[in-house]
């Protein structure tokens, strides 16, 4: 039973919803900039990746939402890029030298040995890996709520 519970928890935290939310966090700013023209790029993206009810907002509401969501789009892009970079760079610590990010092991946390430095950095990467689902859910939930509030719901009512 415990094994089934842990697999279900793993799937819910690190499965498809996390990757869809992360993709939206990366794409929200470019989609918002495209929506400044009145194109319904951001609502379509939110419908596809976040399952936000599809609406047919007018051009003015689309542009208004794009303007209001720009700061949140910047925040989501920075949080997703920084968070996932921490995960990858710390879990794959020895690979940093392959991309020119290496340095002296004596100065790195956990050094002076590669094993010690990798262990310390991998621990930080694992902590961030565990925090990323909550971070992505929080940011994309804010974006979905803003969208529903400004653009309205599929049933024609305004969000609350």
């Amino acid at each position: 039973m415990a094994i089934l519970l842990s697999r279900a928890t793993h799937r819910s935290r690190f499965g498809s919803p996390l990757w869809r939310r992360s993709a939206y966090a990366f794409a929200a700013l470019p989609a918002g900039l495209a929506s400044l023209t009145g194109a319904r790029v951001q609502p379509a993206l939110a419908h596809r990746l976040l399952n936000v009810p599809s609406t047919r907002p007018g051009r003015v509401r689309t542009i208004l939402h794009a303007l209001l969501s720009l700061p949140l789009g910047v925040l989501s892009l920075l949080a997703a890029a920084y968070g996932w970079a921490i995960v990858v760079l710390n879990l794959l610590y020895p690979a940093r030298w392959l991309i020119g990010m290496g340095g002296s092991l004596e100065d790195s946390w956990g050094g002076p040995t590669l094993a010690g430095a990798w262990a310390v950095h991998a621990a930080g990467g694992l902590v961030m890996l565990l925090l990323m689902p909550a971070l992505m859910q929080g940011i994309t939930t804010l974006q979905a709520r803003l969208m529903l509030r400004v653009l309205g719901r599929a049933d024609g009512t305004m969000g609350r």
Side-chain angles (χ1 to χ4, degrees), residues 131-149:
L131 293 175
M132 284 305 290
L135 181 62
M136 291 296 98
Q137 183 173 2
I139 288 175
T140 55
T141 298
L142 284 174
Q143 289 171 326
R145 285 183 181 173
L146 176 64
M147 185 170 294
L148 290 173
R149 186 81 141 154

Side-chain angles (χ1 to χ4, degrees), residues 4 6 12 19-20 28 41 55 83 87 92 110 115 120 122 124 130 136 139:
L4 292 176
S6 66
S12 68
W19 302 118
R20 284 195 322 265
V41 177
T55 61
V87 170
L92 302 176
V120 169
L130 294 174
M136 291 296 98
I139 288 175

Side-chain angles (χ1 to χ4, degrees), residues 59-84:
R59 183 178 173 93
V60 173
R61 282 193 183 274
T62 301
I63 294 171
L64 176 64
H65 174 261
L67 283 170
L68 293 174
S69 69
L70 282 178
L72 198 51
V74 170
L75 176 69
S76 70
L77 178 63
L78 291 175
Y82 186 70
W84 287 117

Side-chain angles (χ1 to χ4, degrees), residues 17-109:
L18 171 64
W19 302 118
R20 284 195 322 265
R21 288 179 182 277
S22 295
Y24 186 82
F26 279 110
L29 181 61
L33 291 172
S35 293
L36 286 173
T37 65
R40 296 181 186 103
V41 177
Q42 200 167 17
L45 186 69
H47 175 68
R48 181 156 179 103
L49 293 177
L50 302 179
N51 296 325
V52 174
S54 182
T55 61
R56 300 290 296 168
R59 183 178 173 93
V60 173
R61 282 193 183 274
T62 301
I63 294 171
L64 176 64
H65 174 261
L67 283 170
L68 293 174
S69 69
L70 282 178
L72 198 51
V74 170
L75 176 69
S76 70
L77 178 63
L78 291 175
Y82 186 70
W84 287 117
I86 286 175
V87 170
V88 171
L89 289 174
N90 284 341
L91 291 178
L92 302 176
Y93 183 75
R96 287 182 178 190
W97 279 269
L98 297 175
I99 58 172
M101 289 183 63
S104 171
L105 285 174
E106 289 84 28
D107 296 333
S108 75
W109 293 353

